[in-house]
Amino acid sequence: MAAPCVSCYAALSCRLFLGGRVSLSQKQGVWKAAAAELQTGTGSQILRLRHTTGVSTKKNVAALRRETYTVDFIKKQIEEFNIGKRHLANMMGEDPETFTQEDIDKAIAYLFPSGLFEKQARPIMKHPEQIFPKQRAIQWGEDGRPFHFLFYTGKQAYYSLMHEAYGKLLEVEKRQNQLQAKGLFSEKTKTKDLIDSRWLIKEELEEMLVEKLSDQDYAQFIRLLERLLTLHCGSEEEFVQRFRRSVTIQSKKQLIEPVQYDEQGMAFSTSEGKRKSAKAEAIVYGHGSGRIKVNGIDYLLYFPVTQDREQLMFPFHFLDRLGKHDTTCTVSGGGRSSQAGAIRLAVARALCSFVTEEEVEWMRQGVCKNIQSVCLLGHCFKHLL
Amino acid sequence: TMLRRMTRLLSGARQARHGEQHAALHYHIPLQDLKTVFPQGLPPRFIMQVKTFNEACLMVRKPALELLHYLKNTNFAHPAVRYVLYGEKGTGKTLSLCHVVHFCAKQDWLILHIPDAHLWVKNCRGLLQSSYNKQRFDQPVEASIWLKNFKTANERFLSQIKVQEKYVWNKRESTEKGSPLGAVVEQGLTRVRNATDAVGIVLKELKNQSCLGAFHLLVAVDGVNALWGRTSLKREDKSLIAPEELALVCSLRKMVRNDWHGGAIVLTLSQTGSLFKPRKAYLPQELLGKEGFDALDPFIPILVSNYNPKEFESCIQYYLENKWLQHEKAHTEEGKKELLFLSDANPGQLERLCAYL
């Protein structure tokens, strides 16, 4: 499917890599020296590792330039990464065999604490596949003859993908026709829930195929996949699922407070919210007439500006529960606008516990559809921007 | 039409029979009355609304009804009772006062209406040293404005009431005993320098004569907490003037004391124009201060609060009938709930909100 990134090549006849090779060889030499040092040094391992663990430092220098990397180079990097990983595990006192990527991240963050705000600028140690951009291997052989039959279309990976997808479509149609002819065709095949996943965007598809695509190509591909979906294919689901990414829903991650009950049996729920430097805590009662008290003062007096009161209105308005809950809040810090925002967040979280399951589903549908449509629209119109 | 009747009473003449069943309905004041009874004293936003709708409609609300009930049952032999309307900002104190004033005007009382006492303690130009009492200050501008409005409001009484003493203005002019009150007012208007004294004389005469029973006197003061607060006026040497040193304030304080009978005193507290008072203060204790509270004690406090649901509904209906709310969601239930939330049933806020719609 995707063009293999690293594949064997004839060492000498490749014209493209000659230029790159010269500059790389120096670095390779340095790395060799480093590797040698790694193996020989015993007592002073820890000190040397800080300077010479080529995997963690040198990546940031060379890796982000748009040059081609030799296959050997990548292989070497992978070896060094593995060795470095074992050394790191040793240093941290963990078992080298079961040292996962998360452990590596934690160890690096511990050993190289950085106060930089940009997360991507901090020291990282990851597998070379994730650091070096994927590249297409040489697509023709010694005699200059290309390997792939679609090479001369220019976008071989894309066209081969389309070809495969269309082939599957035809198969499914043929199968359905056969079933219909036999009379065994059933409409009841369930379509899986498409709400919480979205199609790949163009950049992701380009990354997957390691090829440049145009907008029309991308649109064509998505249309083909959608057509495949409408045919109720049970067997091609994995094929299609490869091109869908799940939309992580914030609401699922959020912890919903259970409703508490106080002495008179009135249901209430508490939660906090923050905005800029204002902190607010809100207690929302189950039944009431829509009165809100902020720091003991009526909200009309506390927020004379209409804009602030509109902010308070939004959580109730969204759920259509404007006059049904009483609220008591305490807020401190920030200015009037940020206090209003903090209370809004606190109230929204507190209201979550009063929200029934159907409402959750309805909200998610509404919100996800909005996200999907916004993503697609933004993508389609980005060339206008 | 049916809808109109739901929110309106048909004419102002029926207001004498305003009772419980008329609560939350609007009643209509003829525009002609507006000019005579209220040359001053209506809140500016209300005047704008009157101009827009081409009619003046006040909502009949519980505090006003209560006041009217008391006024109908006043015993004129007893000293004048003081009623203080207090409440948070924008709840309708001034308009309730205007309702009462209109009622009394219809009942042929003499109305002594000071639209805003705060205007007398701040931003005054032309302070003069009083000729009557050397330690006090005169405010010719404010006094003359008030005299003019007083004349418009109470034309018919000015010729009926006779002065009981002789007043000498200066070497050449004096008012004889027995001349009509109108002469004093004219004097104050023509000779602006004596306007403050004219006001003082008018107040004194009225107080004395209302005991005689020829007429009923209604003293209506808006923003009475200005009389006992601080002023923002300074003398030439930039030292602050206390309210006691203003002649107008002194005479008004004497008026508001309940040592006369034959009428009633209706007062309103107002934070909006007040000086040096926190925004959230609305209780009589806070706004009047100790001195004012003692001076006004005993009084009957009447709380004016935000709209209750029926009144709110009625107000929205009134706006809808006058086609004031043009937003398509304004007449739906959700729209009304939003308005209720945003304005928290405060009449002032609701009016401001609806202005955008």
Side-chain angles (χ1 to χ4, degrees), chain B residues 48 109 111 126 135 171 205 208 214 216 230 232 296 304 341:
Chain B
M48 283 197 286
W109 289 35
I111 312 283
Q135 285 164 346
K171 272 184 271 188
E205 286 297 321
N208 293 339
H216 303 303
R230 289 154 62 183
S232 71
L296 282 184
V304 183
F341 187 97

Side-chain angles (χ1 to χ4, degrees), chain A residues 277-310:
Chain A
S277 51
K279 292 204 225 302
E281 195 201 315
I283 309 173
V284 175
Y285 292 96
H287 302 284
S289 59
R291 272 189 289 269
I292 303 189
K293 278 218 168 263
V294 183
N295 285 355
I297 304 175
D298 195 37
Y299 70 108
L300 184 66
L301 295 177
Y302 195 82
F303 292 122
V305 179
T306 311
Q307 176 194 344
D308 299 335
R309 275 175 278 140
E310 273 177 14

